[in-house]
Amino acid sequence: MLQVTPSGPFGKERNPNLPVMLDELLAELRECFQAGAGGVHLHVRDEAGAETLDPARVNFVVARIRGLAAELRTTVEIGLTTGAWILPPMSERLAMIREWDGVDCATVNLSEDGFERVMQTVLDIGVGVDVGLWAPRELDLLIASGYLPVAQRVSIELDPGEPSFLQGTPPGVAKRINDALDDAGSDCRRLTHGMNAWTWPLVEDAFRRGHDTRVGFEDSILLPDGRTADRNADLVRVAFALEKAT
């Protein structure tokens, strides 16, 4: 599956066409789904454009995306972030997540305190856990938590910059993590992607491995040749062509 992540936590300073408001998001996703994206990783925004986990807004946005997919006669996976920065108090965050409806999976970052409680809440409401693994050192946390066997997917999210400052080549770091997951006996579905300069090397690595991957303005606004993409769909089209060529 090729996933699109159209905005992340960013605003239009990242790219003037980054979708912030709902009408912008739906127009962008229409293009992306038509270009071959089979899923979306969302940072839901409220009516003012701020990130939110509020179930009323989340459920409304998810329903609109389901309607768009039905109109296009396609099925898409809808995944959300559970990022602690959006709502730091754990009890409030979990209360909101418990009221989500229509979500396929939710990314829970191993780097965040209390990730086990968030994973359990996601499972309790029948939503798949998408493990956000940002560095090889987080593998021990994941294995010790006991949640690896029940995760829907492990998203291997690699960035040479903050917060992990990873060393080595993108495929080399991805290999270390994949080998460790194999050694742990995990056959969990995997999605490999990178940020900024690591985006396209890891898209290609994912295709070689037969893994899911993702592109979008959250990860990088640049095409493989260094040009700035005008739309998220430009990134999707290039990634889809790379997959066909692999």
Side-chain angles (χ1 to χ4, degrees):
M1 180 195 68
L2 177 59
Q3 183 186 76
V4 64
T5 181
S7 66
F10 302 111
K12 291 186 181 293
E13 73 284 347
R14 187 165 178 85
N15 186 298
N17 291 324
L18 184 145
V20 174
M21 308 311 290
L22 181 55
D23 58 343
E24 296 174 326
L25 175 67
L26 294 172
E28 197 84 344
L29 289 180
R30 176 183 294 275
E31 280 192 76
C32 291
F33 295 156
Q34 290 174 328
V40 56
H41 173 71
L42 281 176
H43 291 234
V44 173
R45 308 297 182 101
D46 63 20
E47 292 183 352
E51 288 184 275
T52 183
L53 304 177
D54 180 77
R57 186 62 175 179
V58 165
N59 297 346
F60 177 72
V61 172
V62 168
R64 292 292 303 274
I65 295 171
R66 291 284 179 215
L68 172 63
E71 179 187 334
L72 297 175
R73 299 184 178 181
T74 189
T75 301
V76 298
E77 178 191 89
I78 300 177
L80 268 60
T81 183
T82 61
W85 66 88
I86 301 172
L87 186 64
M90 176 68 79
S91 60
E92 294 179 37
R93 194 173 353 132
L94 297 183
M96 287 193 172
I97 292 170
R98 288 190 188 100
E99 300 301 319
W100 286 357
D101 185 44
V103 179
D104 293 311
C105 61
T107 302
V108 183
N109 299 317
L110 295 170
S111 61
E112 296 177 352
D113 291 340
F115 70 84
E116 301 96 334
R117 292 181 63 190
V118 182
M119 288 183 176
Q120 188 58 56
T121 299
V122 168
L123 289 171
D124 288 346
I125 63 171
V127 171
V129 170
D130 183 14
V131 178
L133 194 161
W134 293 359
R137 65 173 178 267
E138 296 176 348
L139 278 164
D140 290 342
L141 291 173
L142 174 58
I143 293 168
S145 75
Y147 282 94
L148 177 56
V150 295
Q152 175 174 306
R153 180 172 60 220
V154 176
S155 283
I156 301 167
E157 310 185 50
L158 303 180
D159 186 345
E162 295 182 1
S164 300
F165 299 101
L166 300 172
Q167 300 295 313
T169 66
V173 177
K175 183 178 187 304
R176 286 171 56 196
I177 293 175
N178 279 291
D179 287 350
L181 288 169
D182 291 343
D183 290 345
S186 175
D187 59 358
C188 186
R189 181 176 159 200
R190 299 173 200 176
L191 183 152
T192 305
H193 74 98
M195 302 292 288
N196 301 309
W198 283 28
T199 294
W200 293 106
L202 287 173
V203 166
E204 293 176 343
D205 185 77
F207 288 147
R208 285 192 296 268
R209 292 178 179 275
H211 291 178
D212 296 339
T213 190
R214 79 182 204 188
V215 293
F217 286 167
E218 177 175 353
D219 291 357
S220 176
I221 63 171
L222 299 180
L223 297 163
D225 62 7
R227 290 181 297 123
T228 298
D230 185 53
R231 316 283 296 186
N232 277 284
D234 296 336
L235 300 169
V236 171
R237 278 187 281 268
V238 171
F240 193 71
L242 285 174
E243 182 181 23
K244 291 291 188 182
T246 301

